[in-house]
Amino acid sequence: MSKTVRMSQDGVCPGDFMLQNVNCPHVKLRPELPGVAFRGHLCSLPKLMEITSSSHASHGNHKENSPFLNSSEASKGGDYYDKNLALFEEELDIRPKVSSLLGKLVNYTNLTQGVKEHEEAESTDGSKKKVSKSPSMGTLMGVYLPCMQNIFGVILFLRLTWMVGMAGVLQSFLIVLLCCCCTMLTTISMSAIATNGVVPAGGSYFMISRSLGPEFGGAVGLCFYLGTTFAGAMYILGAIEILLTYIVPQAAIFHPSGAHDASSAMLNNMRVYGTVFLILMAVVVFVGVKYVNKFASLFLACVVISILSIYAGAIKSIFDPPEFPICMLGNRTLSRDQFDVCAKTVVKDNITVASKLWELFCHSTNLTTENCDEYFLMNNVSEVAGIPGAASGILKDNLWSNYLEKGEILEKAHHPSIDVAGQKNNLHLYVLSDIATSFMVLVGIFFPSVTGIMAGSNRSGDLKDAQKSIPVGTILAIVTTSLVYFSCVLLFGACIEGVVLRDKFGDAVNKNLVVGTLSWPSPWVIVIGSFFSTCGAGLQSLTGAPRLLQAIAKDNIIPFLWVFGHGKANGEPTWALLLTALIAELGILIASLDMVAPILSMFFLMCYLFVNLACAVQTLLRTPNWRPRFKYYHWALSFLGMSICLALMFISSWYYALVAMLIAGMIYKYIEYQGAEKEWGDGIRGLSLSAARYALLRLEEGPPHTKNWRPQLLVLLKLDEDLHVKYPRLLTFASQLKAGKGLTIIGSVIQGNFLETYGEAQAAEQTIKNMMEIEKVKGFCQVVVANKVREGIAHLIQSCGLGGMKHNTVVLGWPYGWRQSEDPRSWKTFIGTVRCTTAAHLALLVPKNVSFYPSNHERYNEGNIDVWWIVHDGGMLMLLPFLLKQHKVWRKCKMRIFTVAQMDDNSIQMKKDLATFLYQLRIEAEVEVVEMHNSDISAYTYERTLMMEQRSQMLRQMRLTKTEREREAQLVKDRHSIARLESLYSDEEDEGDSVPENIQMTWTKEKCDAEKRNRGSAVGTFRDLISIKPNQSNVRRMHTAVKLNEVIVNRSHDARLVLLNMPGPPKNTDGDENYMEFLEVLTEGLERVLLVRGGGREVITIYS
């Protein structure tokens, strides 16, 4: 008998196909198919393939004999039937072979951010999918140069000279050192994180979110996004400042109407031109990022040429300083753009006439002095070299700081001057300080010039070897830029006159860019170079920020950002770009570079702070997954970096720092409460585990003090056949009692075999967790599978909790309908649990009529919580109402405490003592002492006891005959089913063994006579029930129950909740059923009752 498997040319194969045992004589391959691989896709075979197999007649099972897989097995994957792995074949679907796992890992490719993750499906003609371009960038092109371009920016060209002039060379060194140390330490931390596994595109956001969790990741990701967006605004403002101040000043739309509103006119120009530039750049980014990337190298070339021109100019200034004279009146610096000759008088045609300077200060063209400025008359005009050169020794004058207030005139120290008051309306002729400066202000303004260290990690998807390139490239870029900044600070201090350095906009040097005056061959090199580099940096920011926002939105951790995850068909983030442009517009409306710089400093510092924190946390926790390839990191360096970040935030602007922290905190809390649950194996989860372990070990040291005692609940829930919670109000009661504090464990038992009912247990656990969420119970859930419910409950009582976090109180539901049931399982389980809790020294709460308990949405505006304190069991009865009253449902209820006095007790003294005790406990409650007189046992009590004992006896007799009746009924019902028979005193699960399928019953004469005798004796027993006499001990107990019930119902019939002591179960198990009856009688006629049994220790104290 042969079997042939045919696959036609256009056949569809289910997957990989493997032939084992190819030497077997039963396998024949068609000769017209040379070179057919034994392993591969059959779909790719162009011709027909036949595999013929012959089965031996002696084998009944074809599957065992077949050397290849049939179609159904092939669909599972041929790898699973590897001969060498037969021992593991049943688990290969969940635990794949190492070879297949490594194959998948090697084929893993990083798609760059913004590229569609899923390419178009295979076309109908069978054309291959587009092969994604493999990442190929090295350290130089992929990390070093992008970082250099991002770090060097507008601040270097527009503000570094001014910073050196204000702070002096020494303090400028300190500012640069602080900022560069911050970024270097952050880079070390970032390198450790980046080399700890594959970092997909997303850079810093991805690193932080996967290291510190979605809450921190989202908060820091948005901070970094806002920082990048405001950086775009800052670059645009820098470009406009260069354009309107140094390239085409005549392009200004707004002109100052008076001498004092020049700054406001400039700000308005910045706003208009900034908005236009922003729109143009957004359009460029929208049209295509490829254009931005094409020009990136051009912009970088501009930066490099500009910096080189500074060094060239500094070297040239040693032997041939450039001619940039500045005009001084006394020791004050004059704004050079309003006059040409630096003198009071000029000689024209051998006649001394007033110069333009004289006209400006004296408001006349002749040499009269009536209206002249007094300071002008008293001081001489002189010219000083703006660029004395590196050999001039000017460095010693520029070493020290010279901070100015807003509106102060720039003065040259030690220059001859007579100090007299001048006219205020001539202030516009001097060079003035436009903002108040200090060390703190300068730190905030300078810090953006060291940001940009994340450029390499943001491109990690494009790098050939990200784990090597990111640390090396970023650290080299920081070292290079730091050396450039340090050398520039030194060169500026050594080559340029102090007043020129402090002149922010170059008013003293004919509106030239101050850095430009030093550069060689021309100031225009720096002006044009810096303009293009700032434009390029602005475009880069507007390209990067929307992608970052898109990455955050796609992670779906911040629900309201989901719309920004969408974009154009090619994945470009259109909506995110629109939001980025709107936020950048806010920065442009601020219009001042000096105001925007500290804002983005805050956001970047916040981001760097969390990168350091992530590295420190992972290092200290020593998580098993923390194995960075970059080894030169240490938690102390990360903490130092974190401290510097925090210090710089508060140094530069404490109120901005607080605002940034508030924003990050709000995002954190929002993600915590509203965001999607993400499990990224983050460090904060590890930190929580370490903290929990530490706290648990501390708790183990001893039992809690009475002052710290609070009920740590184990709530035992009963589930119905459909695994639904039978009494959800038990959970409601638990949440009202706990109010979110302390430990709550919800336990349940499923009867059966663990191996068979594991899935059921999982489903039950999920049901309980959902119900806990609905009822707002904060706690843990534990479902146990046991052969007997009573055993399962005993396991829960023994083993729930961990260390010091164990339950001390059990909440147990009342077994309703126990009287009606012939089966004693429910109440036997109940009493068994009561005994277990007593043996374990745990407190026990039994809410009776729990269905009538209030839900969390109800409010009791009036009413009483009545406590019946009959015996003292540690003060639980006092504490529970106090805890319940913390919840809004019970808050307005009043507390009343009743205690019972016997005939020989002094009830008046008892009331006084009780009131004093409650006062010392700081519990507000009404106190009442109820006197119970020694009365004779009533006929009603005797009758109740008799009925109780008769009922017990009757049920016992009924169960004696039950076995035979059930057996007969079962045979009639279904001869083939497995019946579970209940024995006489069946515990909840002691229901007998399985009955065999075939039960043979032979009725002999002897057996028939025995059966008749049994029935006769049963009838006689029923007659004996009428003449039974109750046990005296039971009568006494019933008397107590009836009398107490009368008193309680009389006083507390309208109470919202009644709490009373729960008597313990009898030592002799024969009286268990009577115990249930006593409890029923005790609580009869009360709507809501909470039976309380203490755990044998004091839980409340009068001491503070």
Side-chain angles (χ1 to χ4, degrees):
M1 175 182 155
S2 71
K3 180 168 180 174
T4 301
V5 179
R6 294 176 182 272
M7 298 207 68
S8 61
Q9 196 163 350
D10 56 347
V12 179
C13 84
D16 283 343
F17 193 97
M18 180 195 279
L19 287 177
Q20 309 290 348
N21 197 8
V22 293
N23 296 321
C24 178
H26 309 302
V27 178
K28 299 171 195 165
L29 291 175
R30 291 284 293 273
E32 67 263 33
L33 295 176
V36 172
F38 291 113
R39 183 175 188 163
H41 283 287
L42 288 183
C43 306
S44 61
L45 295 178
K47 300 178 182 178
L48 183 73
M49 178 178 180
E50 280 190 1
I51 301 172
T52 310
S53 118
S54 302
S55 302
H56 294 286
S58 60
H59 288 93
N61 191 344
H62 165 75
K63 192 172 175 184
E64 287 179 5
N65 183 47
S66 173
F68 61 90
L69 301 174
N70 61 25
S71 59
S72 65
E73 287 162 348
S75 65
K76 292 179 190 173
D79 293 1
Y80 297 175
Y81 284 78
D82 197 320
K83 281 190 297 184
N84 297 326
L85 293 178
L87 191 60
F88 299 95
E89 64 186 16
E90 289 186 0
E91 290 186 310
L92 280 174
D93 52 343
I94 52 170
R95 297 177 189 186
K97 286 199 321 186
V98 175
S99 57
S100 57
L101 173 71
L102 292 175
K104 284 175 188 168
L105 288 177
V106 167
N107 293 329
Y108 174 75
T109 55
N110 267 327
L111 290 176
T112 55
Q113 198 167 330
V115 176
K116 288 173 76 175
E117 289 183 19
H118 304 290
E119 303 220 3
E120 292 175 356
E122 193 175 356
S123 56
T124 51
D125 60 3
S127 63
K128 292 183 180 178
K129 292 184 180 180
K130 296 175 188 175
V131 179
S132 61
K133 187 181 166 188
S134 62
S136 59
M137 292 179 106
T139 305
L140 182 72
M141 293 301 294
V143 182
Y144 181 71
L145 293 178
C147 281
M148 291 269 286
Q149 186 179 350
N150 276 266
I151 294 170
F152 285 135
V154 63
I155 303 291
L156 170 64
F157 304 116
L158 292 184
R159 294 290 182 270
L160 192 59
T161 52
W162 172 73
M163 185 186 90
V164 174
M166 291 293 181
V169 172
L170 294 179
Q171 286 195 23
S172 296
F173 269 143
L174 182 59
I175 291 172
V176 175
L177 182 68
L178 262 176
C179 296
C180 290
C181 278
C182 176
T183 52
M184 179 58 86
L185 292 169
T186 304
T187 302
I188 291 170
S189 299
M190 184 191 78
S191 301
I193 298 171
T195 58
N196 186 47
V198 180
V199 179
S204 58
Y205 161 69
F206 183 92
M207 286 192 295
I208 296 165
S209 61
R210 269 53 174 184
S211 298
L212 289 179
E215 294 89 359
F216 277 113
V220 179
L222 279 183
C223 280
F224 192 54
Y225 163 72
L226 290 171
T228 312
T229 306
F230 274 105
M234 184 189 75
Y235 290 130
I236 291 170
L237 289 173
I240 304 301
E241 187 176 305
I242 295 167
L243 182 74
L244 293 182
T245 312
Y246 309 113
I247 300 178
V248 277
Q250 58 272 25
I253 299 169
F254 299 94
H255 300 280
S257 53
H260 302 292
D261 63 347
S263 63
S264 61
M266 182 63 182
L267 291 180
N268 287 330
N269 285 321
M270 300 271 271
R271 289 182 182 114
V272 172
Y273 276 99
T275 306
V276 172
F277 262 54
L278 177 63
I279 292 167
L280 285 172
M281 286 185 179
V283 168
V284 170
V285 173
F286 177 76
V287 168
V289 181
K290 58 185 177 189
Y291 301 113
V292 179
N293 292 333
K294 276 180 185 174
F295 287 111
S297 52
L298 171 68
F299 297 138
L300 180 62
C302 290
V303 174
V304 173
I305 291 166
S306 302
I307 292 169
L308 290 176
S309 75
I310 295 172
Y311 286 116
I315 294 165
K316 179 179 172 287
S317 74
I318 297 172
F319 48 83
D320 182 18
E323 283 292 321
F324 279 102
I326 53 171
C327 191
M328 308 291 296
L329 178 60
N331 64 352
R332 297 180 180 179
T333 314
L334 293 171
S335 181
R336 196 63 188 260
D337 62 327
Q338 303 189 40
F339 57 92
D340 47 359
V341 180
C342 182
K344 291 186 179 182
T345 59
V346 289
V347 177
K348 273 188 182 177
D349 303 329
N350 292 329
I351 303 168
T352 302
V353 295
S355 66
K356 178 69 173 171
L357 198 58
W358 186 283
E359 290 178 22
L360 290 168
F361 275 98
C362 296
H363 310 292
S364 68
T365 51
N366 53 24
L367 292 171
T368 54
T369 58
E370 291 87 13
N371 298 323
C372 277
D373 187 300
E374 192 177 352
Y375 188 86
F376 178 72
L377 290 175
M378 299 292 287
N379 286 282
N380 295 322
V381 175
S382 58
E383 270 196 336
V384 176
I387 314 277
S392 64
I394 195 77
L395 179 63
K396 65 177 185 295
D397 294 333
N398 290 333
L399 279 177
W400 312 109
S401 63
N402 197 341
Y403 296 116
L404 300 174
E405 289 300 317
K406 186 178 180 180
E408 266 192 74
I409 300 168
L410 268 61
E411 297 179 347
K412 180 172 169 58
H414 313 303
H415 206 68
S417 161
I418 298 167
D419 195 14
V420 290
Q423 294 176 5
K424 282 191 176 177
N425 58 356
N426 288 330
L427 281 176
H428 67 283
L429 301 172
Y430 301 108
V431 181
L432 305 175
S433 170
D434 65 332
I435 60 167
T437 51
S438 66
F439 181 80
M440 298 181 179
V441 170
L442 294 181
V443 168
I445 290 172
F446 177 74
F447 188 79
S449 63
V450 295
T451 60
I453 60 171
M454 299 287 186
S457 63
N458 288 344
R459 292 164 179 259
S460 53
D462 299 332
L463 298 172
K464 192 187 296 178
D465 184 2
Q467 298 193 351
K468 179 187 169 191
S469 298
I470 290 175
V472 174
T474 312
I475 290 171
L476 280 177
I478 289 180
V479 169
T480 310
T481 51
S482 302
L483 289 173
V484 169
Y485 285 135
F486 281 119
S487 58
C488 281
V489 167
L490 192 64
L491 290 175
F492 294 158
C495 298
I496 306 175
E497 171 60 51
V499 284
V500 179
L501 286 173
R502 289 190 287 282
D503 180 7
K504 189 187 283 183
F505 300 110
D507 293 324
V509 283
N510 249 343
K511 286 283 183 186
N512 273 303
L513 182 60
V514 176
V515 190
T517 59
L518 179 63
S519 66
W520 178 87
S522 162
W524 286 102
V525 174
I526 293 250
V527 172
I528 302 296
S530 60
F531 176 74
F532 278 115
S533 72
T534 47
C535 287
L539 277 171
Q540 293 280 3
S541 297
L542 288 179
T543 308
R547 275 164 181 65
L548 184 60
L549 184 63
Q550 187 181 37
I552 298 169
K554 280 188 173 175
D555 263 346
N556 198 28
I557 54 170
I558 305 174
F560 69 83
L561 288 181
W562 66 271
V563 69
F564 299 110
H566 306 299
K568 290 197 287 187
N570 62 351
E572 289 298 314
T574 313
W575 292 106
L577 176 64
L578 186 63
L579 181 69
T580 304
L582 289 173
I583 296 172
E585 178 62 21
L586 293 177
I588 283 166
L589 291 177
I590 295 172
S592 167
L593 190 69
D594 304 317
M595 293 287 282
V596 174
I599 295 174
L600 67 106
S601 293
M602 285 309 131
F603 290 125
F604 279 122
L605 279 165
M606 181 78 80
C607 179
Y608 296 166
L609 185 147
F610 280 108
V611 171
N612 284 305
L613 176 65
C615 181
V617 165
Q618 298 273 37
T619 309
L620 286 173
L621 288 176
R622 295 192 185 95
T623 47
N625 191 48
W626 181 245
R627 302 185 296 276
R629 288 192 180 281
F630 180 79
K631 300 296 181 190
Y632 307 102
Y633 68 93
H634 193 270
W635 64 265
L637 291 176
S638 298
F639 267 117
L640 181 62
M642 204 167 75
S643 308
I644 293 175
C645 288
L646 197 62
L648 285 175
M649 284 175 75
F650 282 94
I651 283 171
S652 53
S653 174
W654 64 267
Y655 45 89
Y656 277 161
L658 291 176
V659 169
M661 286 177 165
L662 184 68
I663 290 171
M666 284 165 62
I667 297 166
Y668 180 95
K669 295 310 279 183
Y670 176 80
I671 296 171
E672 192 177 49
Y673 285 112
Q674 293 292 323
E677 284 292 322
K678 299 280 181 186
E679 178 51 73
W680 286 330
D682 50 82
I684 292 298
R685 185 62 58 91
L687 192 62
S688 304
L689 280 170
S690 291
R693 175 182 163 277
Y694 175 75
L696 281 170
L697 289 172
R698 288 288 303 274
L699 278 174
E700 275 284 25
E701 288 175 7
H705 191 272
T706 306
K707 288 187 285 189
N708 297 328
W709 195 96
R710 62 165 64 246
Q712 315 286 21
L713 300 183
L714 168 61
V715 182
L716 296 173
L717 280 188
K718 193 170 185 181
L719 304 176
D720 60 18
E721 293 80 10
D722 300 326
L723 299 182
H724 293 142
V725 178
K726 208 163 187 183
Y727 302 114
R729 282 293 159 87
L730 273 175
L731 290 174
T732 316
F733 172 69
S735 73
Q736 290 169 8
L737 186 61
K738 299 298 292 177
K741 305 287 190 301
L743 175 73
T744 307
I745 302 171
I746 310 298
S748 188
V749 179
I750 289 182
Q751 192 177 341
N753 186 343
F754 178 70
L755 294 176
E756 294 166 5
T757 53
Y758 176 70
E760 206 175 313
Q762 294 288 91
E765 196 166 319
Q766 196 53 50
T767 305
I768 293 172
K769 280 180 180 171
N770 294 341
M771 188 57 73
M772 286 168 71
E773 203 169 313
I774 292 166
E775 295 295 343
K776 297 189 174 120
V777 177
K778 289 188 172 71
F780 309 99
C781 171
Q782 189 154 359
V783 176
V784 169
V785 179
N787 287 326
K788 298 181 181 179
V789 171
R790 199 189 298 180
E791 279 180 11
I793 290 174
H795 294 331
L796 281 174
I797 289 171
Q798 289 175 78
S799 61
C800 274
L802 185 66
M805 283 292 278
K806 288 184 78 71
H807 56 278
N808 54 28
T809 306
V810 177
V811 179
L812 180 63
W814 178 260
Y816 300 100
W818 67 273
R819 278 176 172 160
Q820 287 74 31
S821 171
E822 293 181 3
D823 185 8
R825 287 183 298 173
S826 59
W827 57 263
K828 277 195 175 288
T829 302
F830 174 80
I831 295 173
T833 308
V834 174
R835 285 200 172 99
C836 279
T837 54
T838 308
H841 299 291
L842 302 175
L844 178 68
L845 306 179
V846 182
K848 199 159 177 282
N849 303 332
V850 76
S851 327
F852 297 118
Y853 276 57
S855 70
N856 283 328
H857 305 296
E858 293 178 47
R859 301 281 185 283
Y860 285 150
N861 293 322
E862 55 181 3
N864 299 313
I865 298 176
D866 285 358
V867 175
W868 285 84
W869 192 20
I870 299 159
V871 292
H872 179 61
D873 56 358
M876 277 281 286
L877 284 167
M878 310 290 173
L879 191 61
L880 290 173
F882 171 77
L883 294 172
L884 277 174
K885 276 166 66 70
Q886 306 303 307
H887 196 273
K888 56 194 174 187
V889 172
W890 304 93
R891 192 163 291 149
K892 294 188 178 174
C893 291
K894 290 179 181 170
M895 186 172 158
R896 296 191 302 186
I897 296 185
F898 297 91
T899 189
V900 176
Q902 301 302 321
M903 285 299 293
D904 51 351
D905 291 331
N906 183 343
S907 55
I908 297 167
Q909 188 61 40
M910 272 179 76
K911 187 169 183 177
K912 279 183 186 173
D913 293 345
L914 185 54
T916 309
F917 181 55
L918 289 175
Y919 178 77
Q920 288 172 336
L921 288 175
R922 290 93 60 207
I923 289 176
E924 292 180 16
E926 290 180 30
V927 177
E928 287 194 40
V929 177
V930 178
E931 293 183 357
M932 285 184 70
H933 302 291
N934 287 335
S935 59
D936 293 334
I937 293 168
S938 63
Y940 170 74
T941 304
Y942 197 82
E943 191 68 29
R944 283 295 295 257
T945 315
L946 187 61
M947 282 168 61
M948 174 183 77
E949 295 199 357
Q950 282 177 344
R951 180 178 175 280
S952 300
Q953 190 72 19
M954 195 180 340
L955 285 172
R956 207 170 282 130
Q957 293 300 331
M958 286 168 69
R959 284 187 204 114
L960 283 171
T961 58
K962 193 172 184 182
T963 311
E964 292 297 329
R965 286 190 290 108
E966 280 200 355
R967 188 178 290 175
E968 289 173 32
Q970 188 64 34
L971 281 168
V972 172
K973 186 177 177 186
D974 184 2
R975 292 178 63 85
H976 302 290
S977 67
I978 296 174
R980 309 248 319 159
L981 302 178
E982 294 177 354
S983 59
L984 171 61
Y985 289 113
S986 65
D987 194 351
E988 181 157 0
E989 300 78 18
D990 298 343
E991 293 162 309
D993 300 315
S994 299
V995 177
E997 278 190 25
N998 300 315
I999 301 173
Q1000 300 294 332
M1001 289 188 67
T1002 308
W1003 287 94
T1004 60
K1005 188 173 189 305
E1006 292 79 12
K1007 199 163 188 178
C1008 189
D1009 292 342
E1011 182 68 17
K1012 283 177 182 175
R1013 280 197 302 275
N1014 281 344
R1015 288 181 183 176
S1017 65
V1019 173
T1021 311
F1022 282 122
R1023 289 199 191 101
D1024 293 343
L1025 286 176
I1026 303 164
S1027 58
I1028 199 168
K1029 287 193 175 181
N1031 185 311
Q1032 284 305 308
S1033 167
N1034 286 345
V1035 172
R1036 282 203 324 277
R1037 289 195 177 103
M1038 183 64 79
H1039 175 67
T1040 307
V1042 168
K1043 291 294 290 178
L1044 269 174
N1045 179 255
E1046 278 177 18
V1047 174
I1048 293 168
V1049 170
N1050 185 31
R1051 298 295 184 96
S1052 302
H1053 58 88
D1054 58 347
R1056 297 292 187 191
L1057 179 65
V1058 176
L1059 288 85
L1060 72 150
N1061 292 109
M1062 179 178 181
K1067 291 187 173 70
N1068 183 4
T1069 54
D1070 291 343
D1072 284 357
E1073 200 168 358
N1074 301 338
Y1075 172 68
M1076 295 298 296
E1077 189 69 40
F1078 296 144
L1079 292 180
E1080 284 283 12
V1081 171
L1082 187 62
T1083 56
E1084 218 167 37
L1086 297 170
E1087 189 181 16
R1088 279 180 287 271
V1089 185
L1090 181 61
L1091 295 168
V1092 181
R1093 185 161 171 72
R1097 62 160 293 172
E1098 291 294 327
V1099 300
I1100 197 163
T1101 177
I1102 62 173
Y1103 300 107
S1104 62

